[in-house]
Amino acid sequence: MFENMETVYLWVVLAPLLGSIIAGLFGWLIGRAGAHWVTIIGVGVSFFLSLVVFKHIVIDGAPAYNGTVYTWMVAGGLPIEVGFLIDKLTAMMMVVVTFVSWMVHIYTIGYMHDDPGYTRFFSYISLFTFSMLMLVMANNFLQLFFGWEAVGLVSYLLIGFWYKRESAIHANLKAFLVNRVGDFGFLLGIGAVLLYFGSLDYAQVFAGAEKVAARTMSIWPGVEWPVITVICILLFIGAMGKSAQMPLHVWLPDSMEGPTPISALIHAATMVTAGIFMVARMSPLYEYSETALAVVMVIGATTALFMGLLGLVQTDIKRVIAYSTLSQLGYMTAALGASAYAAGIFHLMTHAFFKALLFLGAGSVIIALHHEQDMRRMGGLRRYMPITWITSLIGTLALIGAPGFSGFFSKDSIIEAIGHSSLGVAGYAYACVLIGVFVTALYSFRMYFLVFHGEPRMDAHTREHVHETPWVVTGPLIALAVPSVVIGAWYVGDMVFGDFFGRAIFVLPRHDVLGGLAASFHGPWGMVQHAFFQPPVWLAAAGVVTAWYLYMVRPELPGVIAARAGALYRFMVNKYGFDDFNEAVFAGGGRGLGNLLWRIGDVRLIDGLAVNGSARLVGWLAGVVRHLQSGFLYHYAFAMIVGLVALVGWAVFWPVE
Amino acid sequence: MFADWPLLSLVVWLPILGGLVVLASGSDKSAVEAKVVALLFAIVTFLVSIPLFTEFDPGTAAMQFEERRPWIPGWNIYYHLGVDGISMPLILLTTFSTVLVIIAGWEVIRYRAAQYMAAFLFMEGLMNGVFAALDAALFYVFWEAMLIPMFIVIGIWGGPNRVYATIKFFLYTFLGSVFMLVALLYLYFQTGSFSILDFHAARIGELPQILIFLAFLAAFAVKIPMWPVHTWLPDAHVEAPTGGSVILAAIMLKMGGYGFLRFSLPITPDASAALDWLVILLSLVAVVYIGFVALVQQDMKKLIAYSSIAHMGFVTLGLFVVYDIVQYNEAAGQPALAGAAIGVEGAVVQMISHGFISGALFLCVGVLYDRLHSRQIADYGGVVNTMPMFAAFMVLFAMANAGLPGTSGFVGEFMVILGSFRANFWYAFLAALTLIVGAAYTLWMVKRVVFGDVTSDKVAALKDIGAREFLILALLAVAVLALGLYPAPLVEVMDASVARLLEQMTRTKL
């Protein structure tokens, strides 16, 4: 049936694009139902075809496809093309992206039911799906950058979806600009790739990696850096923006201003993992720079711990999950630094399912409570919303890495890999990710207990109307809960310790921690048993018990602790002061510099002094000269006489030779 | 089928004839007829210019569609027209933009509408003449004559401070041009010809080259404009009517870039190589300094004007990094011109793209100005609530201005940044700052104007764009997206010409 795979690849991206265009341009014509049907069918087709691709590439083991769709331009003999690279990494990403996107499309019917921007919303999320697919299917840096910025655009549009809210349009501008800081590095990285590899095509670049690894470039007279380190760090700056790693993480918590379905799809499951995907895709480059790997690991581990800590002090349910996302992205990044790309990507996949589940569960709670997001006005919801409760519990268990759940396999692999990494910074990173396990369990179960257990704290009116959400909401919850449980055990052997990715991911033998760990891997069940002799499980358990004690047994205690730790608590509520710093230094500094250059440079110096000054000078000269033209005849007559005398005098006293 | 037609003469003289007809026919009583006639002439001229693209042979760098007749034989001056792959797209941009400007002024201009339309037709013909002229004397006539309709447009249909702006605009550009005239006369006395192609071939000593280069620089730096001779532009834009701003930004600024391409680089290659640091420095100042200045503007037109200067910085940067690229290649043992074309081609693409985007943004400001009679950002806020269709266009063009991939605004900047990376890491570093700063000033304006809740009764009473406004914005949107998604055709037509230019600008004339 699917003889021509090239057509399949094309339709995977075109179906959501068409849906988006139809819903966006003709939404007024086809109505609300028309808009959701056309986009759901578009993304559904895309998901189905992605499964076909997955079967073709992964299950049937067909060789990777690398082909051109069209030539974007040929500049000075250099062809720059739009094309697809479909290998096992791509195939897996395609399935994850289209599946989560499809679930979110369906869920949106329920969540955005009363919103006046209904058709616009469907158009945006389908456009996002298209952009994300272009990103993961790219076979060259130009298209990667196109997808990279296109998902940023849709993220901008969706964070600011409720454009009347000042907080929303502040958040989307902030998100775009912080991402642009990352893209600034990313674009320079692409420039460096073109200069030193002579191509933007992945295949050619990767083939030349070993040769370029020996070269250095002069950053500053006398300062020589290895080319590959410069390239990898520049590209990673892009990943720090998109995947919200410190210090470019500041936009992600604010992005929660967007509707919850996109928090699940874009700001948890897919777009923010683009940076992780990119580094894994570039593993043939990163492998040759231990400096870059060390940077990646430190940034990732720091984000994993310190962003998780902030999840402890949030009261907005979506913001807790947002900080959790930051922390989990940190885990993935740290894994990349340890050359455990497969473990990072594996965690990307499991996280996509359970974090989308958690967000959609939170969204279910939010609509049930009439758009209440403050956890202090929730509680006891397990009695009213059984499906949301059970699925959220599954998501939470997966998140904290409870043995057997999907998150357990991926996170444990990451921690093991970092523990065995030979990089000098691995010790610091290992401490961060271990403490992070305790923190994750603590904030996760704090949220879980506050929302679903204890006494209901909403007002009486709301409580009377609380009931389980409709099937379009609970259906996707169940559909996401299934992989959140099983996908880990199912794929850990293949993806992390097997040869699932084949040549899509490249690891030098001396960095191959996962290969070393594979020897002691005896199936998922063995991994579960083994875990009980390792610290992470007990740290997670301690976190759960602590949360239970603090929020179920002694609920007055957290307030006391917060009061005791006044300064530290305020420091954390202030998000370590990043926002204040950026607002003062970069936003304020930029405006100040602009005003200085404008009012002093342009207005005062160039216009005031040079332009209008010379005009005044001319005016003054003219004013002086003007007095000669007095209009009095005897003045002119006098001037003529003087001139005549001078001329005659000259003729007389200097006779012609 | 058009091979024998004098296409270039048609795109020059047809609009001028049209302008005369409109002037003759038009008083304010018969304004409608005058407008219809003007639109017809603009559309026909655009249609006539299309074969320039479709019949163009991209395989050669030679001038095409050439016409050559003696004009003033005693001085060896010819009526000599011709285009290559660099000037031809600029002519199409001119004929396209003029159609839009005529439509844009349709209902808005109530005072002496016929004269307004005629001025733009005259301008169109003269600007096409600038791009098509291959004789320096002819070029200079068009170059100066083109200013007249523009300062009439600003001086008559402009804002309250229009006299200051007009005089500033005129004196600035005129002063620059005078130096160019001296240089052209010197070249005439050296070669005995006014042919630009002869100038390209002429051997010139070192000092004369430097002086000629500086004379050209004075003319072109003002026109494009480069820091610090840029301050006429924001004033001119603020006072100009919408149509004037569109033509000024979309076409007239390109004259400066075209001048560098056609005159400075091929005629004085050694001086260009010796003084490239100056132009690069000024270009980077334009990108960074002007970017920050744009950030704090409170007048939308001023903001877009400053944004134009920053974007034009990429044009001059892309052209002049070539000499550093050659140096890099020599040190790295690679072919001298490897990787140089992408910067120059990026500069040309940037010129075309900026024509669409800045034109579109000025039209957007015009749409708002027609309704509220204010250009102040502070007078708006929450426009999306009452003008959703307009808001969609505004966001699209803003994103294009911020260089989003998939729009034309990305292509030129991307190519120039890739090119300048080869010349020097820090050039690329500073140029790439536009990713942040450009997005900041553009999107901050969008946030304050378009998004948010309705801020005033005036905004609450706004009417969304009508069919006429929709048409012009939609045409520009298509152009911006088409060039962004598939720039290959544009790059293809200029490839041979750029290759020849690279060869000319790197071969010594001493």
Side-chain angles (χ1 to χ4, degrees):
Chain A
M1 180 179 167
F2 298 103
E3 292 298 316
N4 188 349
M5 288 307 288
E6 287 180 28
T7 320
V8 174
Y9 303 144
L10 211 53
W11 277 104
V12 168
V13 293
L14 286 184
L17 178 64
L18 278 178
S20 167
I21 291 174
I22 295 173
L25 295 186
F26 305 104
W28 54 276
L29 194 67
I30 57 177
R32 294 158 69 92
H36 74 230
W37 276 115
V38 73
T39 50
I40 286 174
I41 291 172
V43 176
V45 166
S46 189
F47 171 58
F48 175 71
L49 293 177
S50 297
L51 287 179
V52 172
V53 173
F54 191 82
K55 176 175 183 301
H56 177 70
I57 297 281
V58 176
I59 297 173
D60 297 349
Y65 169 87
N66 184 8
T68 302
V69 177
Y70 72 93
T71 302
W72 193 63
M73 70 156 86
V74 184
L78 171 80
I80 304 181
E81 289 161 341
V82 172
F84 296 143
L85 168 63
I86 314 288
D87 58 11
K88 291 172 176 173
L89 179 60
T90 313
M92 187 219 89
M93 289 297 291
M94 286 162 71
V95 173
V96 172
V97 168
T98 51
F99 176 67
V100 178
S101 172
W102 204 35
M103 290 301 109
V104 167
H105 272 75
I106 295 169
Y107 177 92
T108 299
I109 298 176
Y111 192 85
M112 301 297 283
H113 188 261
D114 304 319
D115 200 283
Y118 192 78
T119 56
R120 186 163 56 98
F121 190 88
F122 276 99
S123 173
Y124 286 171
I125 51 177
S126 270
L127 183 64
F128 169 77
T129 312
F130 161 76
S131 313
M132 190 71 199
L133 287 167
M134 287 296 278
L135 192 163
V136 297
M137 292 165 74
N139 74 345
N140 66 81
F141 284 87
L142 169 84
Q143 190 179 335
L144 176 69
F145 193 68
F146 166 81
W148 193 265
E149 290 248 302
V151 292
L153 166 74
V154 189
S155 164
Y156 168 82
L157 293 172
L158 282 166
I159 296 171
F161 185 77
W162 288 315
Y163 47 72
K164 287 188 187 184
R165 292 187 191 167
E166 185 58 33
S167 56
I169 60 175
H170 181 263
N172 77 340
L173 182 63
K174 179 173 169 183
F176 199 87
L177 293 184
V178 173
N179 267 292
R180 269 295 171 100
V181 174
D183 295 356
F184 164 77
F186 198 59
L187 187 60
L188 287 177
I190 293 174
V193 165
L194 179 66
L195 175 56
Y196 290 101
F197 292 91
S199 171
L200 291 179
D201 205 60
Y202 288 167
Q204 289 187 44
V205 170
F206 297 161
E210 197 169 358
K211 240 167 81 184
V212 172
R215 297 182 63 180
T216 60
M217 65 185 278
S218 167
I219 294 289
W220 203 253
V223 181
E224 292 275 327
W225 277 24
V227 166
I228 207 109
T229 298
V230 174
I231 289 176
C232 288
I233 288 179
L234 285 172
L235 292 176
F236 182 64
I237 291 172
M240 286 163 68
K242 194 97 340 194
S243 292
Q245 297 298 296
M246 285 169 81
L248 296 185
H249 66 280
V250 289
W251 63 274
L252 187 66
D254 288 5
S255 78
M256 295 299 124
E257 290 294 336
T260 306
I262 66 115
S263 304
L265 175 62
I266 300 185
H267 304 121
T270 54
M271 181 188 85
V272 290
T273 61
I276 314 299
F277 165 79
M278 187 273 292
V279 175
R281 173 58 88 209
M282 301 302 151
S283 56
L285 303 182
Y286 279 87
E287 276 303 288
Y288 289 103
S289 173
E290 294 202 353
T291 315
L293 286 175
V295 170
V296 172
M297 184 187 273
V298 168
I299 299 263
T302 308
T303 306
L305 175 59
F306 288 91
M307 289 299 118
L309 283 171
L310 293 191
L312 293 171
V313 297
Q314 298 298 318
T315 52
D316 181 312
I317 183 168
K318 282 181 74 180
R319 288 196 178 238
V320 177
I321 312 180
Y323 279 104
S324 161
T325 305
L326 284 172
S327 166
Q328 297 306 308
L329 289 167
Y331 275 94
M332 297 175 212
T333 307
L336 301 172
S339 292
Y341 306 99
I345 291 290
F346 188 53
H347 195 52
L348 182 165
M349 178 177 78
T350 60
H351 176 261
F353 294 125
F354 66 69
K355 190 52 69 67
L357 170 60
L358 279 173
F359 257 123
L360 296 186
S364 174
V365 168
I366 291 168
I367 26 179
L369 298 181
H370 303 291
H371 292 270
E372 176 61 70
Q373 299 190 187
D374 194 331
M375 294 190 298
R376 288 169 297 191
R377 286 193 285 275
M378 296 180 180
L381 286 177
R382 72 181 191 283
R383 272 165 298 197
Y384 306 99
M385 312 178 68
I387 303 177
T388 305
W389 166 50
I390 291 293
T391 49
S392 294
L393 178 59
I394 290 171
T396 309
L397 288 170
L399 170 62
I400 68 165
F405 288 84
S406 61
F408 159 78
F409 294 101
S410 52
K411 198 188 285 180
D412 235 37
S413 310
I414 289 177
I415 294 169
E416 287 270 300
I418 294 172
H420 286 81
S421 167
S422 58
L423 292 181
V425 293
Y428 164 77
Y430 189 61
C432 283
V433 294
L434 269 188
I435 304 168
V437 172
F438 173 78
V439 175
T440 306
L442 183 55
Y443 69 67
S444 301
F445 269 86
R446 166 178 176 262
M447 178 175 78
Y448 170 77
F449 288 133
L450 283 176
V451 173
F452 292 104
H453 289 265
E455 284 306 306
R457 294 181 295 277
M458 44 277 192
D459 58 58
H461 175 76
T462 313
R463 192 191 313 178
E464 278 169 25
H465 290 85
V466 175
H467 56 81
E468 185 59 279
T469 42
W471 70 267
V472 285
V473 173
T474 52
L477 293 181
I478 296 166
L480 285 164
V482 173
S484 298
V485 178
V486 301
I487 201 88
W490 192 3
Y491 267 113
V492 64
D494 274 355
M495 275 200 190
V496 180
F497 301 112
D499 191 31
F500 179 91
F501 292 112
R503 290 164 61 182
I505 285 175
F506 172 81
V507 183
L508 284 177
R510 67 171 184 276
H511 292 158
D512 194 6
V513 282
L514 291 179
L517 291 170
S520 52
F521 175 76
H522 304 293
W525 178 235
M527 193 167 163
V528 171
Q529 288 175 311
H530 177 69
F532 286 97
F533 302 98
Q534 297 288 323
V537 165
W538 299 108
L539 284 167
V544 177
V545 171
T546 313
W548 172 76
Y549 185 74
L550 286 177
Y551 294 94
M552 297 298 291
V553 182
R554 303 272 310 273
E556 77 288 354
L557 215 50
V560 176
I561 297 173
R564 285 274 168 80
L568 181 66
Y569 179 72
R570 276 195 303 279
F571 185 53
M572 285 172 68
V573 171
N574 272 331
K575 300 164 271 184
Y576 306 126
F578 275 102
D579 279 349
D580 297 337
F581 179 82
N582 291 338
E583 187 57 46
V585 175
F586 293 112
R591 285 193 295 265
L593 182 64
N595 268 315
L596 187 78
L597 294 174
W598 181 41
R599 294 190 193 283
I600 305 295
D602 267 33
V603 176
R604 185 99 31 108
L605 291 180
I606 297 177
D607 261 6
L609 212 63
V611 178
N612 297 342
S614 46
R616 270 197 299 278
L617 184 69
V618 172
W620 176 79
L621 274 175
V624 171
V625 178
R626 194 185 57 192
H627 290 296
L628 297 176
Q629 291 186 19
S630 59
F632 294 116
L633 206 58
Y634 58 89
H635 282 176
Y636 296 155
F638 178 71
M640 280 165 72
I641 291 167
V642 170
L644 197 65
V645 168
L647 265 174
V648 171
W650 180 71
V652 171
F653 291 102
W654 274 274
V656 182
E657 296 278 317
Chain B
M1 69 176 280
F2 298 100
D4 304 331
W5 291 36
L7 286 175
L8 291 175
S9 279
L10 282 175
V11 297
V12 173
W13 297 109
L14 202 57
I16 292 177
L17 176 72
L20 289 172
V21 172
V22 170
L23 268 190
S25 73
S27 68
D28 274 2
K29 282 177 196 154
S30 59
V32 177
E33 291 84 344
K35 282 188 274 195
V36 171
V37 173
L39 181 61
L40 276 178
F41 270 97
I43 290 177
V44 170
T45 310
F46 175 62
L47 293 178
V48 168
S49 69
I50 288 177
L52 291 176
F53 182 82
T54 52
E55 310 274 304
F56 189 84
D57 176 9
T60 170
M63 291 297 164
Q64 305 187 28
F65 307 101
E66 266 193 273
E67 297 169 38
R68 190 161 184 267
R69 280 183 202 83
W71 181 26
I72 309 174
W75 287 67
N76 213 0
I77 295 176
Y78 285 82
Y79 174 77
H80 187 187
L81 302 178
V83 287
D84 63 0
I86 294 169
S87 50
M88 183 271 287
L90 290 166
I91 289 181
L92 261 74
L93 179 67
T94 310
T95 56
F96 177 71
S97 306
T98 305
V99 175
L100 299 185
V101 164
I102 300 256
I103 304 176
W106 202 260
E107 288 155 15
V108 185
I109 302 298
R110 292 170 198 279
Y111 175 69
R112 294 175 180 249
Q115 284 86 338
Y116 177 87
M117 300 294 172
F120 281 99
L121 287 175
F122 286 133
M123 229 184 307
E124 178 185 17
L126 297 170
M127 291 186 300
N128 282 337
V130 169
F131 292 130
L134 291 179
D135 184 283
L138 187 64
F139 171 87
Y140 189 76
V141 170
F142 283 131
W143 176 274
E144 293 293 5
M146 160 189 94
L147 290 177
I148 298 167
M150 182 50 102
F151 61 68
I152 287 176
V153 165
I154 302 178
I156 293 182
W157 292 274
N161 203 11
R162 57 183 181 263
V163 176
Y164 173 76
T166 314
I167 292 177
K168 198 170 176 183
F169 166 63
F170 180 77
L171 285 181
Y172 251 114
T173 46
F174 190 72
L175 265 178
S177 309
V178 166
F179 289 104
M180 179 174 73
L181 180 63
V182 174
L184 294 178
L185 288 173
Y186 175 86
L187 288 165
Y188 168 72
F189 288 119
Q190 290 297 306
T191 62
S193 151
F194 270 113
S195 166
I196 296 173
L197 302 178
D198 289 345
F199 292 173
H200 288 180
R203 301 186 73 83
I204 310 167
E206 194 175 355
L207 184 65
Q209 270 203 42
I210 298 274
L211 293 175
I212 293 171
F213 177 86
L214 291 175
F216 283 150
L217 182 66
F220 304 141
V222 166
K223 205 75 165 186
I224 204 166
M226 297 174 85
W227 188 89
V229 288
H230 64 281
T231 57
W232 63 271
L233 186 74
D235 285 328
H237 270 308
V238 165
E239 299 305 327
T242 302
S245 283
V246 171
I247 293 297
L248 191 57
I251 319 289
M252 288 214 173
L253 304 191
K254 312 305 177 296
M255 305 274 169
Y258 177 72
F260 283 117
L261 282 158
R262 185 65 86 223
F263 289 87
S264 307
L265 293 169
I267 294 178
T268 58
D270 302 290
S272 302
L275 293 173
D276 67 337
W277 58 270
L278 175 66
V279 180
I280 290 171
L281 181 73
L282 296 182
S283 308
L284 292 172
V285 168
V287 174
V288 180
Y289 171 119
I290 296 293
F292 279 104
V293 172
L295 191 65
V296 295
Q297 297 306 311
Q298 288 126 29
D299 180 310
M300 285 187 269
K301 268 191 155 181
K302 265 199 172 161
L303 194 152
I304 302 166
Y306 276 110
S307 158
S308 291
I309 303 168
H311 282 91
M312 287 298 102
F314 275 90
V315 175
T316 41
L317 181 66
L319 296 179
F320 279 84
V321 288
V322 167
Y323 297 104
D324 284 333
I325 292 177
V326 171
Q327 274 187 1
Y328 170 87
N329 286 339
E330 276 168 6
Q334 290 173 356
L337 288 174
I342 199 167
V344 176
E345 288 176 357
V348 180
V349 172
Q350 175 81 345
M351 291 207 280
I352 302 291
S353 154
H354 178 262
F356 295 139
I357 297 170
S358 66
L361 283 174
F362 278 120
L363 285 167
C364 283
V365 176
V367 165
L368 291 178
Y369 184 79
D370 292 342
R371 286 162 173 72
L372 284 198
H373 297 285
S374 167
R375 295 178 313 264
Q376 296 301 312
I377 292 172
D379 287 342
Y380 293 87
V383 167
V384 63
N385 295 286
T386 43
M387 303 176 71
M389 208 152 33
F390 169 78
F393 280 117
M394 180 88 179
V395 170
L396 171 69
F397 295 128
M399 280 293 169
N401 200 47
L404 189 84
T407 68
S408 63
F410 167 71
V411 186
E413 288 178 14
F414 178 68
M415 293 168 81
V416 171
I417 289 171
L418 290 189
S420 49
F421 200 106
R422 200 178 188 89
N424 187 321
F425 172 77
W426 294 103
Y427 296 169
F429 181 91
L430 290 171
L433 280 176
T434 193
L435 244 64
I436 306 166
V437 182
Y441 62 69
T442 314
L443 297 181
W444 191 30
M445 175 182 78
V446 168
K447 171 183 178 255
R448 289 176 292 168
V449 171
V450 175
F451 293 134
D453 209 345
V454 174
T455 46
S456 69
D457 296 344
K458 284 182 178 172
V459 172
L462 284 175
K463 290 248 179 318
D464 207 346
I465 47 176
R468 181 182 56 86
E469 292 161 326
F470 179 86
L471 175 71
I472 43 180
L473 294 180
L475 284 173
L476 282 164
V478 169
V480 163
L481 290 173
L483 187 52
L485 293 172
Y486 191 44
L490 175 63
V491 178
E492 190 194 353
V493 295
M494 72 175 79
D495 208 43
S497 302
V498 168
R500 186 199 49 178
L501 172 71
L502 284 172
E503 192 237 325
Q504 285 173 330
M505 65 192 275
T506 51
R507 191 176 50 204
T508 180
K509 281 185 149 193
L510 294 175

